[in-house]
């Protein structure tokens, strides 16, 4: 199926007007006009871009024209869109900040330009020196801004929290040369979500170099094949977790120079690991001194003017996705990260805010289709995302795009040729919310097996979903990690293997493993883990800020914990590794959705089959079951490939390794055969045919 607005639908009976989705979901039929409208809107944009810019491919290479570009002969060109400015000047260390010596010329579209000829074959601006654009407004006021397309900005907090723009043009000998090809697009995505700055037990900001040296081998050992990097786009406020971006083309200088990030990605590629950027195009920092806000003296330059351009919840600015130049900026930004840094795709943050005029604020989505169409939808935002997916999937067929959307908009992850928005995956955001809610409000005996199975499988047919038990959202201050909810203060006193294995710790380890395993097996077509949670990282995340005396105590990940052989964290770490490596062998994430043969509320047992494996979960807090009969479709002899009660994972080893489970050809729970197992309290076992071992 073509993931293109312009491509063939692949079938003569699928209309080429954006209503192909009706073949998959006839319930969308009342919204045919809305589907046609956004599809034709996207096609009009593509025609306009073809006519005026020579196509999306050229249009998305805006970085080759805008910002700073150094020619082969050493000449430097600088180009900036600022239609409200009446005069513009390039200023910086190179001209002793002379506000008159380097005037820029303007074209009819409000684009300013200057060419600085080389001096003796060398660029007129020295590498790693500061600069700005100085503009005179119609009122006569002079304002100064960091260039919008700048690729390097730095902050010296001892002087000011405001960033400086830096001309980054290292000598050829210091420019990074990529050594490894991008890995092939993985059939199963096992995502490790990570933040470079917190990736150390030390009380400071960690670096790209340290991530490459310390984290990549760890992630590779665990068996994850995708890394999702957060907080890379430069953000003035560290505590924003990277979600208040001020310089969209600049990799955060907190962690080191751009070349170190390139090395990180290249090294990951050498390990066969795909790297995604957490891209923030849903909003921007409202900073004017070192951001895009009021760049040319107006509030409606890159953003909507007035209240429409302000995000009430995030205290930030909202892009005008209907603007030609804003589309150039955003599409070129995606292209830049793919080409310059060799990222393999994106997790788009805040997609719900982009899809709706209300931005999801104060809106609960019931799942009624009327919520996804009509005046509440920002068609410009929807169409921008369609264009972004069109451009990315056309130019980079192996790319991966993931949508962070809480609304559940239909067709978000269907091909563009069918009228979808074109994402590869969406995040299953209801799953972690369920776990936190249940751990806070319910006794284990009150867990509803039917509700658990429903939440894990409640996803749209044909649209791939990434499941997770907890992400960075659940770890932020005000909440805490799952293991912290399960064990609380006993994490500080009873995680040593020399201390008593208390009922609270026993329950905590068991539930942590089971929650992750059932999410992995039942919850989606991809799996995500936030760094540190694989071993049950204690406490929560809180970045240095005025409210905590600028402390780094909670802005770190204590990877020393699973490395200590005397601590029980190692058991969770090894169980997580076993889940990933077993999935790599059997590929359940890219297999059809599971068949659930049993949801027994009284016994607290769930049984399902997926990828030829038989999964058996006993969530009962006190009851173990011997000779428990479970249905299975395929006859044969089975053995356990994963057992949460294995002593290697901190369990009791109540099922002997190598135990063989024989099937009996008698129908049970609508399956052709049954086998009988011993399933201890709060444990899970995954069986595979011996022929596959």
């Amino acid at each position: 199926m073509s993931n293109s607005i312009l491509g063939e639908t692949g079938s003569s009976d699928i209309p080429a007007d954006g209503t192909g989705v009706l073949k998959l979901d006839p319930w969308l039929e009342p919204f045919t006009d809305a589907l046609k409208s956004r599809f034709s809107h996207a096609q009009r944009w593509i025609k306009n871009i073809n006519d005026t810019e020579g196509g999306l491919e050229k249009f998305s290479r805006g970085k080759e024209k805008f910002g700073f570009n150094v020619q082969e002969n050493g000449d430097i060109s600088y180009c900036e869109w600022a239609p409200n400015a009446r005069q513009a000047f390039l200023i910086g260390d190179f001209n002793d900040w002379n506000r008159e010596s380097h005037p820029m010329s303007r074209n009819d579209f409000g684009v300013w330009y200057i060419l600085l000829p080389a001096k003796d074959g060398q660029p007129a601006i020295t590498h790693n020196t500061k600069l700005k654009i100085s503009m005179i407004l119609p009122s006569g006021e002079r304002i100064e801004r960091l260039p919008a397309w700048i690729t390097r900005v730095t902050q010296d907090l001892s002087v000011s929290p405001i960033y400086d723009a830096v001309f980054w043009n290292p000598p050829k000998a210091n420019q990074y040369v990529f050594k490894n090809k991008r890995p092939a697009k993985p059939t199963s995505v096992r995502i490790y979500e990570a933040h470079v700055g917190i990736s150390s037990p030390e009380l400071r900001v960690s670096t790209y170099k340290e991530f490459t040296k310390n984290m990549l081998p760890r992630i590779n050992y665990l068996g994850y094949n995708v890394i999702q990097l957060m907080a890379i786009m430069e953000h003035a406020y560290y505590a924003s977790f990277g979600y208040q971006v001020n310089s969209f083309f600049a990799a955060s200088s907190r962690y080191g120079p751009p070349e170190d990030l390139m090395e990180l990605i290249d090294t990951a590629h050498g390990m066969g690991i795909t790297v995604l950027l957490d891209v923030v195009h849903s909003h921007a920092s409202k900073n004017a001194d070192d951001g895009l806000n009021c760049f040319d003296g107006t509030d409606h330059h890159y953003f909507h003017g007035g209240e429409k351009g302000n995000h009430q919840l995030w205290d930030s600015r909202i892009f005008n996705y209907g603007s030609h130049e804003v589309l150039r900026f955003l599409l070129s930004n995606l292209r830049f990260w793919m080409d310059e840094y060799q990222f393999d795709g994106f997790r788009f943050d805040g997609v719900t805010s982009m899809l709706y005029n209300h931005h999801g604020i104060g809106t609960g989505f019931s799942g009624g289709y009327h919520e996804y169409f009509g005046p509440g939808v920002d068609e410009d935002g929807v169409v921008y995302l369609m264009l972004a997916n069109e451009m990315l999937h056309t130019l980079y067929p192996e790319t991966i795009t993931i949508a962070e959307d809480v609304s559940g908009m239909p067709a978000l992850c269907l091909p563009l040729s069918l009228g979808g928005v074109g994402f590869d995956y969406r995040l299953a955001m209801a799953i972690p919310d369920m776990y936190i809610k249940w751990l806070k409000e319910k006794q284990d005996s009150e867990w509803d097996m039917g509700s658990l199975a429903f939440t894990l499988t409640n996803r749209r047919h044909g649209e791939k979903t990434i499941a997770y038990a907890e992400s960075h959202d659940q770890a932020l201050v005000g909440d805490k990690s799952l293991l912290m909810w399960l064990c609380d203060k006993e994490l500080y006193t009873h995680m040593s293997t020399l201390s008593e294995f208390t009922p609270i710790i026993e329950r905590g380890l068991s539930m942590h493993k089971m929650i992750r395993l059932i999410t992995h097996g039942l919850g989606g077509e991809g799996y995500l883990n936030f760094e540190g949670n694989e071993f049950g990282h204690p406490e929560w995340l809180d970045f240095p800020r005025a409210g905590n005396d600028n402390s780094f105590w909670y802005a770190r990940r204590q990877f020393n914990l699973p490395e200590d052989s005397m601590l029980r964290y190692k058991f969770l770490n090894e169980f997580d590794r076993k889940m990933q490596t077993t999935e790599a062998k059997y590929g359940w994430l890219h297999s059809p959705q599971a068949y659930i043969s049993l949801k027994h509320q009284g016994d607290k047992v769930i049984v399902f089959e997926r990828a030829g494996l038989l999964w058996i979960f006993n969530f009962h807090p006190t009851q173990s079951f011997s000779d428990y009969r479970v249905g299975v479709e395929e006859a044969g002899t089975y053995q356990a490939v994963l057992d949460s009660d294995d002593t290697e994972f901190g369990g009791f080893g109540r099922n002997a390794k190598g135990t063989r489970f024989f099937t009996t050809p008698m129908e049970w729970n609508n399956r052709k055969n049954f086998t009988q197992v011993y399933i201890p309290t709060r444990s899970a076992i995954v069986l595979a045919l011996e022929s596959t071992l």
Side-chain angles (χ1 to χ4, degrees):
M1 183 66 65
S2 166
N3 199 1
S4 169
I5 298 164
L6 306 175
E8 297 299 318
T9 58
S11 172
S12 57
D13 65 340
I14 295 177
D17 63 356
T19 60
V21 296
L22 300 182
K23 297 280 182 183
L24 285 171
D25 188 352
W27 292 99
L28 287 168
E29 200 274 332
F31 309 100
T32 298
D33 289 345
L35 290 166
K36 285 181 176 177
S37 171
R38 73 185 194 188
F39 193 77
S40 62
H41 189 163
Q43 287 188 316
R44 285 196 306 276
W45 261 120
I46 288 178
K47 183 181 186 308
N48 175 272
I49 290 166
N50 285 342
D51 293 345
T52 60
E53 304 281 354
L56 266 179
E57 194 278 331
K58 286 184 179 174
F59 187 57
S60 60
R61 292 202 327 236
K63 185 65 190 71
E64 294 176 12
K65 175 185 175 184
F66 286 84
F68 290 91
N69 287 283
V70 183
Q71 319 302 329
E72 283 295 320
N73 65 357
D75 290 357
I76 299 171
S77 65
Y78 170 52
C79 191
E80 197 76 75
W81 175 56
N84 187 52
R86 290 298 169 261
Q87 295 181 66
F89 306 85
L90 180 61
I91 63 174
D93 292 337
F94 76 98
N95 68 356
D96 293 326
W97 300 92
N98 186 320
R99 282 161 176 76
E100 305 292 337
S101 64
H102 286 76
M104 301 175 72
S105 57
R106 171 190 164 123
N107 72 8
D108 294 340
F109 301 101
V111 175
W112 296 87
Y113 178 82
I114 188 172
L115 181 73
L116 288 81
K119 296 177 180 175
D120 302 322
Q122 294 300 312
I125 305 176
T126 305
H127 166 61
N128 204 18
T129 57
K130 297 173 185 175
L131 34 69
K132 282 186 175 182
I133 181 173
S134 181
M135 292 172 281
I136 296 177
L137 305 183
S139 65
E141 179 191 358
R142 184 184 284 269
I143 61 171
E144 287 166 2
R145 298 287 187 258
L146 305 194
W149 298 66
I150 197 74
T151 60
R152 175 80 169 162
V153 294
T154 58
Q155 183 185 46
D156 184 350
L157 284 171
S158 66
V159 176
S160 166
I162 296 172
Y163 271 79
D164 294 308
V166 171
F167 178 69
W168 196 255
N169 181 37
K172 263 209 161 36
N174 295 348
Q175 291 174 14
Y176 190 80
V177 178
F178 286 87
K179 304 171 187 65
N180 299 298
K181 281 174 137 180
R182 283 190 169 109
K185 186 175 184 174
T187 49
S188 292
V189 295
R190 301 182 299 277
I191 302 173
Y192 196 87
E193 184 185 36
H195 181 296
V196 170
I198 66 170
S199 297
S200 161
E202 296 182 37
L203 300 172
R204 59 176 176 80
V205 178
S206 191
T207 67
Y208 296 125
K209 282 275 189 192
E210 289 167 329
F211 194 96
T212 302
K213 180 186 174 188
N214 302 323
M215 289 302 299
L216 290 184
R218 174 185 299 281
I219 295 165
N220 194 35
Y221 169 79
L222 286 168
Y224 289 90
N225 59 357
V226 180
I227 297 171
Q228 184 175 294
L229 283 180
M230 308 173 62
I232 295 296
M233 302 166 78
E234 191 58 276
H235 46 294
Y237 186 39
Y238 188 48
S240 76
F241 219 152
Y243 293 123
Q244 294 272 346
V245 175
N246 52 313
S247 291
F248 283 74
F249 288 82
S252 182
S253 57
R254 286 181 180 85
Y255 322 127
E259 292 72 24
D260 289 358
L261 175 57
M262 294 174 189
E263 180 189 36
L264 186 164
I265 294 167
D266 194 22
T267 306
H269 286 169
M271 296 174 172
I273 297 173
T274 294
V275 187
L276 307 181
L277 174 69
D278 193 349
V279 72
V280 185
H281 281 180
S282 46
H283 64 132
S285 163
K286 68 176 186 180
N287 289 16
D289 289 331
D290 56 3
L292 291 179
N293 193 18
C294 300
F295 184 88
D296 70 347
T298 68
D299 72 342
H300 54 271
H301 181 211
Y302 283 96
F303 312 109
H304 289 291
E307 277 308 297
K308 188 177 181 183
N310 295 318
H311 199 294
Q312 300 300 325
L313 198 62
W314 298 339
D315 193 25
S316 55
R317 300 303 316 275
I318 296 167
F319 285 105
N320 177 3
Y321 302 109
S323 159
H324 188 97
E325 289 303 327
V326 171
L327 287 182
R328 186 199 310 275
F329 183 82
L330 295 175
L331 292 171
S332 298
N333 187 237
L334 297 172
R335 184 95 187 259
F336 171 80
W337 291 108
M338 293 292 287
D339 292 346
E340 186 78 5
Y341 287 94
Q342 298 288 297
F343 277 99
D344 301 296
F346 302 94
R347 177 258 199 195
F348 281 74
D349 179 68
V351 165
T352 308
S353 179
M354 303 169 79
L355 295 174
Y356 305 98
N357 291 311
H358 52 66
H359 310 298
I361 300 170
T363 305
F365 291 93
S366 66
Y369 278 20
H370 64 283
E371 297 167 339
Y372 305 123
F373 302 96
V377 174
D378 181 353
E379 190 166 274
D380 285 335
V382 175
V383 168
Y384 163 63
L385 293 170
M386 293 172 77
L387 294 175
N389 277 301
E390 170 83 26
M391 185 269 290
L392 288 167
H393 288 95
T394 301
L395 298 180
Y396 313 96
E398 297 280 278
T399 197
I400 295 172
T401 58
I402 300 170
E404 187 221 20
D405 169 45
V406 298
S407 76
M409 177 178 268
L412 192 64
C413 301
L414 287 179
L416 293 155
S417 57
L418 296 181
V421 183
F423 283 100
D424 294 289
Y425 297 91
R426 70 192 327 146
L427 293 172
M429 302 181 76
I431 295 173
D433 292 345
M434 172 190 67
Y435 289 133
I436 291 289
K437 183 176 172 62
W438 286 14
L439 288 172
K440 283 180 182 178
E441 299 174 5
K442 292 178 183 279
Q443 299 292 320
D444 293 358
S445 58
E446 296 173 319
W447 278 39
D448 186 315
M449 296 298 100
S451 179
L452 175 60
F454 174 78
T455 302
L456 286 167
T457 55
N458 181 27
R459 51 190 186 272
R460 294 187 56 78
H461 174 66
E463 301 194 44
K464 291 189 287 190
T465 297
I466 289 169
Y468 55 105
E470 54 183 332
S471 74
H472 66 267
D473 289 329
Q474 283 70 42
L476 285 169
V477 67
D479 214 324
K480 43 191 184 183
S481 67
L482 279 183
L483 195 68
M484 197 73 191
W485 277 112
L486 287 160
C487 301
D488 204 43
K489 63 181 184 293
E490 286 205 11
L491 281 185
Y492 302 114
T493 57
H494 287 81
M495 283 299 277
S496 166
T497 54
L498 300 178
S499 63
E500 180 192 356
F501 194 30
T502 65
I504 286 176
I505 296 294
E506 180 189 338
R507 169 184 176 258
L509 297 190
S510 299
M511 292 292 280
H512 192 272
K513 289 179 285 187
M514 291 182 72
I515 285 170
R516 278 172 155 63
L517 183 60
I518 199 165
T519 304
H520 213 314
L522 208 51
E525 290 72 40
Y527 178 79
L528 179 143
N529 168 71
F530 178 64
E531 67 174 314
N533 288 345
E534 68 273 13
F535 64 81
H537 199 286
E539 300 168 333
W540 50 85
L541 268 174
D542 189 14
F543 284 81
R545 55 190 174 84
N548 64 13
D549 294 326
N550 289 310
S551 169
F552 279 88
W553 187 258
Y554 296 111
R556 60 188 180 129
R557 299 275 91 180
Q558 299 179 58
F559 291 109
N560 52 303
L561 297 177
E563 289 169 0
D564 189 332
S565 62
M566 304 301 286
L567 294 178
R568 294 187 167 110
Y569 294 102
K570 66 180 181 183
F571 297 132
L572 299 180
N573 196 69
E574 290 307 308
F575 182 75
D576 198 88
R577 177 176 189 249
K578 185 68 172 176
M579 280 198 304
Q580 313 314 327
T581 56
T582 307
E583 197 290 325
K585 178 173 181 177
Y586 289 97
W588 59 76
L589 290 173
H590 65 269
S591 296
Q593 196 162 315
Y595 180 89
I596 303 172
S597 61
L598 183 64
K599 295 170 285 191
H600 197 297
Q601 180 58 14
D603 293 348
K604 293 282 187 282
V605 170
I606 293 178
V607 180
F608 62 88
E609 291 151 85
R610 192 176 184 189
L613 301 173
L614 178 60
W615 310 63
I616 306 154
F617 290 80
N618 177 10
F619 281 93
H620 203 290
T622 57
Q623 201 70 37
S624 297
F625 302 105
S626 56
D627 295 327
Y628 198 87
R629 186 173 289 190
V630 295
V632 60
E633 190 69 9
E634 194 166 351
T637 304
Y638 288 77
Q639 282 195 38
V641 289
L642 197 49
D643 179 1
S644 70
D645 192 48
D646 195 314
T647 53
E648 185 185 354
F649 311 132
F652 294 102
R654 287 168 286 197
N655 265 306
K657 284 188 180 181
T659 299
R660 305 176 79 200
F661 300 89
F662 303 96
T663 60
T664 301
M666 185 179 118
E667 193 168 307
W668 190 259
N669 289 337
N670 292 319
R671 309 313 275 158
K672 290 177 181 172
N673 305 277
F674 74 78
T675 188
Q676 297 190 164
V677 298
Y678 173 49
I679 183 75
T681 173
R682 287 199 187 111
S683 74
I685 188 167
V686 182
L687 306 182
L689 284 166
E690 281 188 342
S691 58
T692 68
L693 299 179

